[in-house]
Amino acid sequence: MICLNNVSFKYTKEQESLRDINLTVNDGDVVLVCGPSGCGKTTLVRCVNGLIPHFYKGELSGKVSVNGVNVSDTTLRKLSRHVGTVFQNPRSQFFNVDTTSELAFGCENFGMSPDETETRINDVVNRHDMAPLMDRSIFKLSGGEKQKIACASIAVEPVEVIILDEPSANLDHKGVCELQKMIAAWREDGKTILIAEHRISYLLPYITRAVLMDHGAIVREYPAEEFRSLSGDELHSMGMRADGMKNPADVTIRTDAKTGTPGVMTLSNMRYAYRHEKPVFDIPELDIPTGEIVAVTGTNGAGKSTFLRCLCGMERRCKATLKVGSEVWNNKSRRRKIYMVMQDVNHQLFTDSVLEEVMISQKTEDRESALKILESLDLAEYAGRHPLSLSGGQKQRVAIASAIASERSIILFDEPTSGLDHEHMLQVSELLKRLKEAGRTVIIVTHDVELIENACTYIINFEKLKFELKHL
């Protein structure tokens, strides 16, 4: 059982993040915590798993207990025997360099024998078809594959409470289906599950209750049946992504509205392989439409993120060339002329304030222009905040604001809407359209069907390497 009694929390030198939270999650419940980006979902789950107050410092009042254990009075090590967590950024929770060792790590900390550890790992791997991910380097996994390993590492542990923070953010359609199976198995085993999530369609069959948050407070609780009966518009107004589980491969592309042929830039001789491994991809020649919004889709691990890194010149061992108009851009030229927003935006947030983060991307620093960009992304109120103090969705928007401020002609995005609620997904969609109208080329690696349908004009299916035209 999870109990939060009159819990409030304020991060050091920041505004209150939780206000008078009272919540009880009974044994075996599956509770969805939802609401718009920045509403306090992640802060709430940090109070349950003990990261608040043991890791994140601030002003905490009230009492949090898990299975009768007072979280504030118990070390993280002891709490980990009761609670397992999959973070929004799974990379931050790995302790090993290979996947099999990562799955074994929790069991070893429980003092299990090698035989029992191996049995538990084999059970999870076989139950969830994860054999292709075993004995792999953590550093060579895609974001979605890391998410799967993080979920599996919790599944092998004998904890009673499982916390998931935006677990579907980086998963492809198949990965979300596998996550569904894992949640169903946990529920069958009587686990207590607390899930903070924007994308909710895949969860609806399994939840026992939904908790809606806004501005750090619980504004309403819904019994499962009432929550399932809410319309798409009602769910969208609450900040949720509720448009089903459509596979990007099934998006209908119309070809009857083509009004002209876009220009193209030609990518040549792009081949990349991690050391001592087979090539991730081998592209002799590929024409990419310019002045368009191009979605790059495909399964987790297909090489989409690696493709973006090679395209912008970040992977120095990839010697491809890109012909744009009459110019030929080598790696060095592409690093200078192409801007990329990474999947893990923590890697590219460098300054002490959100406003400074946007201004360092400008050719000439312009405070007023930077503030207008922040305002267009609902970030103006955070201009003075440290970027790393923001929620995952807010940090994503800061990185997007920096890309817009750079004014570069080609902008790459790797999962730009992961962690974003419905309103901010639409906001990003509109900004991408404005970039297109300004003549910029936008290339997006994404599994987000709603973003593809709202903004993208072309799709590259990475497995097939082909274009299909989409009518806006």
Side-chain angles (χ1 to χ4, degrees):
M1 177 182 286
I2 302 169
C3 293
L4 293 92
N5 297 317
N6 300 317
V7 174
S8 295
F9 181 75
K10 178 182 178 181
Y11 291 101
T12 304
K13 297 180 180 178
E14 292 174 18
Q15 61 188 17
E16 197 169 37
S17 297
L18 293 181
R19 297 184 290 114
D20 299 320
I21 299 293
N22 288 284
L23 177 66
T24 299
V25 181
N26 295 315
D27 293 343
D29 275 357
V30 181
V31 175
L32 168 67
V33 181
C34 53
S37 296
C39 70
K41 301 186 296 296
T42 296
T43 301
L44 187 149
V45 300
R46 285 173 179 169
C47 289
V48 176
N49 63 23
L51 289 177
I52 293 173
H54 298 296
F55 184 82
Y56 293 98
K57 302 302 179 183
E59 301 172 17
L60 175 66
S61 61
K63 181 181 177 182
V64 184
S65 62
V66 178
N67 292 346
V69 176
N70 188 319
V71 170
S72 294
D73 297 338
T74 309
T75 64
L76 285 171
R77 181 178 178 181
K78 289 182 179 178
L79 280 171
S80 68
R81 292 189 166 271
H82 300 278
V83 183
T85 306
V86 177
F87 299 141
Q88 187 171 353
N89 176 12
R91 177 179 168 275
S92 63
Q93 70 187 88
F94 293 141
F95 293 90
N96 295 271
V97 296
D98 71 276
T99 55
T100 304
S101 297
E102 188 60 40
L103 264 60
F105 182 78
C107 295
E108 290 168 350
N109 278 284
F110 273 86
M112 294 180 186
S113 68
D115 287 345
E116 185 178 0
T117 298
E118 185 176 358
T119 298
R120 282 182 167 274
I121 291 173
N122 288 339
D123 178 61
V124 169
V125 168
N126 294 332
R127 197 174 188 182
H128 301 291
D129 302 319
M130 299 188 68
L133 293 180
M134 292 299 96
D135 299 315
R136 297 266 304 276
S137 167
I138 291 285
F139 303 106
K140 295 176 182 177
L141 299 181
S142 70
E145 289 172 329
K146 288 175 183 173
Q147 197 87 332
K148 293 176 189 177
I149 292 298
C151 289
S153 69
I154 299 305
V156 299
E157 297 179 4
V159 294
E160 306 98 356
V161 176
I162 295 174
I163 294 175
L164 307 174
D165 191 3
E166 301 283 356
S168 72
N170 299 314
L171 296 179
D172 61 16
H173 181 264
K174 182 182 177 184
V176 172
C177 293
E178 290 168 354
L179 177 60
Q180 272 188 313
K181 286 169 55 181
M182 201 169 280
I183 292 170
W186 285 333
R187 184 176 176 182
E188 244 178 66
D189 294 340
K191 306 284 188 184
T192 304
I193 308 173
L194 189 65
I195 309 171
E197 179 66 287
H198 287 123
R199 292 182 169 94
I200 63 166
S201 298
Y202 75 98
L203 293 171
L204 293 179
Y206 309 106
I207 62 171
T208 55
R209 187 161 38 118
V211 175
L212 177 64
M213 294 187 67
D214 196 15
H215 292 93
I218 293 176
V219 294
R220 186 165 177 182
E221 294 190 33
Y222 293 87
E225 287 307 315
E226 182 182 353
F227 190 74
R228 293 185 191 108
S229 70
L230 295 175
S231 68
D233 287 343
E234 288 174 309
L235 292 170
H236 288 158
S237 70
M238 299 173 189
M240 281 164 271
R241 310 288 295 278
D243 287 351
M245 283 181 60
K246 189 185 292 186
N247 189 335
D250 299 329
V251 173
T252 302
I253 306 301
R254 290 180 51 186
T255 59
D256 60 329
K258 189 171 182 179
T259 56
T261 303
V264 296
M265 53 185 179
T266 302
L267 182 65
S268 303
N269 301 316
M270 178 181 278
R271 185 176 189 273
Y272 186 79
Y274 292 106
R275 293 188 189 280
H276 312 302
E277 293 192 14
K278 295 179 181 178
V280 179
F281 46 74
D282 188 351
I283 306 172
E285 187 170 284
L286 180 65
D287 287 338
I288 301 173
T290 56
E292 301 288 339
I293 306 172
V294 182
V296 179
T297 66
T299 57
N300 288 133
K304 304 183 300 299
S305 296
T306 305
F307 171 73
L308 286 196
R309 291 199 304 273
C310 290
L311 184 58
C312 71
M314 288 175 60
E315 295 291 350
R316 295 174 187 269
R317 291 190 297 111
C318 181
K319 303 300 182 182
T321 58
L322 183 68
K323 185 176 181 182
V324 183
S326 60
E327 298 181 1
V328 176
W329 297 356
N330 57 18
N331 273 14
K332 185 176 180 180
S333 299
R334 297 202 304 277
R335 286 195 295 272
R336 191 173 65 252
K337 296 180 179 182
I338 300 176
Y339 194 102
M340 178 173 172
V341 177
M342 301 178 189
Q343 188 170 8
D344 183 357
V345 296
N346 293 296
H347 289 313
Q348 59 187 126
L349 299 175
F350 304 109
T351 68
D352 293 330
S353 76
V354 168
L355 180 59
E356 288 175 0
E357 195 67 50
V358 176
M359 289 172 65
I360 64 167
S361 294
Q362 295 175 317
K363 292 179 180 178
T364 303
E365 288 192 1
D366 183 340
R367 181 185 174 87
E368 292 307 312
S369 173
L371 283 170
K372 285 181 181 178
I373 293 171
L374 290 176
E375 189 174 345
S376 71
L377 283 161
D378 287 341
L379 290 169
E381 64 182 292
Y382 306 111
R385 286 267 298 271
H386 196 292
L388 295 181
S389 72
L390 303 178
S391 73
Q394 290 165 339
K395 284 189 279 192
Q396 195 80 30
R397 283 182 278 146
V398 171
I400 292 169
S402 297
I404 294 168
S406 74
E407 298 184 7
R408 297 190 188 181
S409 60
I410 301 173
I411 302 179
L412 314 181
F413 295 93
D414 195 354
E415 297 288 357
T417 54
S418 65
L420 296 190
D421 58 26
H422 185 262
E423 178 185 352
H424 289 114
M425 180 278 296
L426 292 177
Q427 200 173 60
V428 169
S429 174
E430 290 305 311
L431 284 169
L432 296 177
K433 291 177 188 176
R434 294 216 301 260
L435 289 173
K436 175 184 179 296
E437 288 166 4
R440 303 204 209 173
T441 301
V442 179
I443 302 175
I444 310 167
V445 163
T446 186
H447 298 120
D448 191 338
V449 172
E450 291 175 278
L451 177 67
I452 294 171
E453 292 182 330
N454 273 283
C456 296
T457 53
Y458 280 79
I459 294 178
I460 300 174
N461 183 311
F462 202 73
E463 282 84 1
K464 299 176 184 176
L465 289 177
K466 71 174 185 180
F467 296 126
E468 296 174 294
L469 179 69
K470 178 179 175 57
H471 175 49
L472 284 171

